[in-house]
Amino acid sequence: MPDILLQYQMEIWQSIRETFAMVGVSILAAIFVGLPVGTLLFFCRRGQIFENQLVFSVVNLLVNIIRSFPFLLLVVFLIPFTRMVIGTAIGTAAATVPLSIIAIAHYARLVEQSLLDVPRGVLEAAISMGASVRDLVFRFLFVEARSGLVLGLTTSTISFISYSTIMGVVGGGGIGDFAIRYGYQQFKTDLMLYMILIMVILVQCIQFTGTTVARWIDKR
């Protein structure tokens, strides 16, 4: 192992843990909130079985607004809200608030797109068999779209890692923040390159895992 990595190994492991914490909370927010929001958008669209233009317009507008915000400005804009929720606007815990919000909006849109790829005949067949809303969602819609949902979550996770590098502005830490503070600002170019390499390896592992799982569960 290079000497520079041995010298900063404690800080590096700490930054990796911080990145995992931020991205992990974002993934949970995407699954438990973004997935239902995306499903709601799908069902409330024009021509769908629960068509509701008011609900669709409001939720769609919120998702679009959040996704159109430059992430750094979103982080700054949410500082008062973050302080109200967490009690502080600084640190890894505080960084999870804007990351979770962008995660919800980002994944909700990908969920909507994945569900739109499900053949309409599947829903019509489920309804004709008397399927409840719960069965319609979990036994038909999500089952048919499962591959796309996994790929969407994989894409979102990689985006969350990218977003996490910005969280140094609120003291969120993470690999990106470490690379800037110890590598770029202290002119340790080799250390910065090693951090970039770690990020590249992490992203490649996530992409490989997500693609493999999506291919494995795709029974079409």
Side-chain angles (χ1 to χ4, degrees), residues 133-211:
V133 175
R134 180 184 178 86
D135 288 341
L136 185 64
V137 173
F138 290 100
R139 294 190 177 183
F140 292 92
L141 197 59
F142 285 174
V143 170
E144 286 295 318
R146 59 189 181 275
S147 179
L149 294 174
V150 170
L151 287 175
L153 185 60
T154 301
T155 300
S156 294
T157 301
I158 293 172
S159 296
F160 304 159
I161 293 174
S162 177
Y163 291 143
S164 72
T165 62
I166 303 175
M167 298 315 301
V169 297
V170 292
I175 299 173
D177 179 53
F178 176 84
I180 293 173
R181 287 189 295 113
Y182 288 87
Y184 177 74
Q185 293 179 351
Q186 297 184 20
F187 304 103
K188 295 182 174 66
T189 305
D190 53 346
L191 182 60
M192 183 175 65
L193 291 175
Y194 284 127
M195 293 303 99
I196 293 173
L197 180 61
I198 290 174
M199 294 286 281
V200 169
I201 293 173
L202 179 60
V203 167
Q204 292 301 317
C205 289
I206 292 171
Q207 185 66 65
F208 175 78
T209 302
T211 303

Side-chain angles (χ1 to χ4, degrees), residues 5 8 97 132 142 199 211:
L5 294 183
Y8 288 97
V97 174
S132 64
F142 285 174
M199 294 286 281
T211 303

